[in-house]
Amino acid sequence: MNMLRSFKIGNVQIDPPIVLAPIAGFTDSPFRILVKNFTAGLVYTEMISSMGVFFKDAKTFELIKFKENEKPVSAQIFGNDPDKLAYAASYLEEKGFDIIDINMGCPANKIVSSGAGSALLKNPGLVKKIVQAVRTAVKIPLTVKLRKGFSSGENVLFELSHIIESEGADAIIIHGITVEDGFKKDKEDWESIRQVKETVSVPVIGNGGIIKETDVKNMFEITGVDGVMAGRACIGEPWFIKSAIQFIDTGIPLSLLLSEKLNIIVKLVEMEIDEKGEENAIKEMRKFIQSFTFGMRGVAALRDKVNKVGKKDELMGLLRAFFEVKEAAV
Ligand SMILES: Cc1cc2nc3c(=O)[nH]c(=O)nc-3n(C[C@H](O)[C@H](O)[C@H](O)COP(=O)(O)O)c2cc1C
């Protein structure tokens, strides 16, 4: 079985069939380029407010920026008003995005209380209207990313997948866990993903519980999905998708030297500065450095220092010192 077979979402080729998840606060344009350079088949913006697009909100417009070398790139929108979602989708199509994705999984209180994100899992009638409206508004491929259900034990995947497919979506992304079960690895229900894959004819991308390279292989084998979406694993290791591909091909994940990891962080710092200017980029880098160095000894002290610097040279100095000490200790 060739699990790394490319597939199409509408007319967009997804090759390789492993994609970067939308992650609010992380998957900005520089980070997407970084992960794309490690062979992601598709990258996603973080969720973009359809109301923000409609009312031309400046912060929302920051999230809309992308570069040609990210392509194919999918814009993920959220909201609960079919007309506003349709407007936002059409606007983003005009801006040059390759795919529109609708968020039906976000568990954040602010989003749920506005009737958007995972609140839609409770409202199949509105799901139908939303997919219908957005489908009518755009020609580019349309996908929906949804969770298994809202309450623990609930499974709305079959009902909603069929609505989404029959209203003309080109692929479905399934995070196989309910909102109440949050992110607990042992609650990830890959069997339900497999069953949906068997019953719909559009491509299915499986998501959730991808921690190690072996999880990607298992997801393909257990569920038979067309593609696998990885989120947090890429936040800690932007090279994760390349590593998973190597693991599937050879049984051995990628092993990077500390100096190579440092170079990857430096590259991201440079791209963030180009995109956002030095001051904002250095602030943005704090969370990335935290995730890249997660679990390493001495990281708390590094974090304290990183949180106090505002200049590129100071940040680079701290990172080089940290990684050189680590390399010397190996
Ligand atoms: C900090 C954070 C932010 C997220 N932001 C989004 C988002 O903007 N849109 C979305 O559909 N999912 C979002 N997710 C969910 C991820 O896309 C993904 O479904 C989830 O992390 C499970 O995949 P993983 O186990 O590979 O991380 C977010 C998750 C985290 C941890």
Side-chain angles (χ1 to χ4, degrees):
M1 171 191 177
N2 174 17
M3 59 183 74
L4 292 175
R5 216 179 18 241
S6 72
F7 69 101
K8 278 186 161 184
I9 298 180
N11 59 354
V12 178
Q13 194 81 37
I14 310 301
D15 185 15
I18 309 177
V19 308
L20 171 67
I23 303 264
F26 285 91
T27 55
D28 60 3
S29 176
F31 186 74
R32 295 193 301 260
I33 292 171
L34 190 67
V35 177
K36 174 81 191 176
N37 288 344
F38 288 106
T39 71
L42 175 67
V43 295
Y44 285 74
T45 66
E46 63 179 272
M47 55 184 192
I48 296 168
S49 160
S50 53
M51 296 295 267
V53 175
F54 186 78
F55 290 110
K56 304 201 169 7
D57 170 64
K59 277 197 181 147
T60 304
F61 273 48
E62 282 299 306
L63 305 180
I64 290 174
K65 292 180 178 167
F66 73 92
K67 294 215 161 56
E68 282 300 306
N69 54 351
E70 293 175 36
K71 282 177 155 261
V73 54
S74 174
Q76 189 192 62
I77 51 176
F78 73 92
N80 79 335
D81 177 337
D83 294 338
K84 300 282 186 310
L85 283 156
Y87 174 89
S90 164
Y91 183 88
L92 295 166
E93 176 178 42
E94 236 173 71
K95 288 281 159 206
F97 283 97
D98 299 290
I99 297 174
I100 298 293
D101 180 68
I102 307 172
N103 180 314
M104 297 194 186
C106 179
N109 284 338
K110 205 175 131 195
I111 306 294
V112 174
S113 59
S114 73
S118 59
L120 293 169
L121 301 172
K122 299 176 184 171
N123 198 338
L126 186 53
V127 167
K128 186 177 166 76
K129 283 187 191 150
I130 286 173
V131 179
Q132 219 167 47
V134 178
R135 177 69 291 168
T136 309
V138 296
K139 291 197 181 62
I140 55 173
L142 169 63
T143 66
V144 175
K145 178 169 180 277
L146 73 165
R147 278 183 179 242
K148 181 184 167 189
F150 201 92
S151 314
S152 204
E154 184 181 46
N155 187 347
V156 298
L157 287 175
F158 302 98
E159 183 185 6
L160 293 191
S161 297
H162 286 102
I163 293 173
I164 290 164
E165 179 180 32
S166 61
E167 292 307 328
D170 297 287
I172 303 172
I173 299 118
I174 302 177
H175 185 188
I177 197 165
T178 64
V179 174
E180 271 184 15
D181 288 333
F183 288 94
K184 295 177 196 144
K185 168 99 173 143
D186 63 332
K187 297 281 183 183
E188 295 287 353
D189 178 2
W190 289 5
E191 174 56 19
S192 290
I193 299 180
R194 188 190 70 73
Q195 288 170 10
V196 174
K197 168 61 198 160
E198 267 191 359
T199 57
V200 296
S201 34
V202 291
V204 172
I205 299 178
N207 170 241
I210 303 292
I211 294 166
K212 292 272 166 216
E213 290 80 354
T214 179
D215 296 320
V216 176
K217 186 166 188 261
N218 290 341
M219 171 75 92
F220 276 120
E221 280 175 352
I222 292 169
T223 65
V225 284
D226 303 275
V228 171
M229 172 182 274
R232 288 163 297 167
C234 296
I235 298 299
E237 300 185 340
W239 54 89
F240 177 77
I241 292 179
K242 186 170 181 187
S243 184
I245 290 169
Q246 179 175 303
F247 178 78
I248 289 168
D249 282 342
T250 67
I252 301 165
L254 206 61
S255 170
L256 296 186
L257 298 172
L258 284 167
S259 57
E260 291 172 314
K261 292 183 183 176
L262 174 61
N263 286 341
I264 291 165
I265 302 178
V266 169
K267 180 80 195 145
L268 183 61
V269 175
E270 284 165 353
M271 288 195 293
E272 289 285 354
I273 290 175
D274 278 352
E275 182 76 18
K276 300 177 182 169
E278 188 171 19
E279 195 184 335
N280 289 335
I282 300 301
K283 280 191 198 136
E284 285 286 303
M285 282 309 299
R286 292 174 186 166
K287 62 191 171 206
F288 284 114
I289 288 166
Q290 190 170 340
S291 55
F292 292 163
T293 55
F294 183 76
M296 289 182 173
R297 279 182 68 165
V299 73
L302 172 71
R303 200 162 53 226
D304 284 348
K305 290 180 195 158
V306 163
N307 287 349
K308 289 182 189 126
V309 299
K311 296 265 177 251
K312 176 185 171 186
D313 291 347
E314 294 167 326
L315 179 65
M316 296 294 195
L318 286 175
L319 290 171
R320 290 213 165 87
F322 180 77
F323 276 90
E324 272 158 22
V325 168
K326 293 254 158 278
E327 190 122 84
V330 173

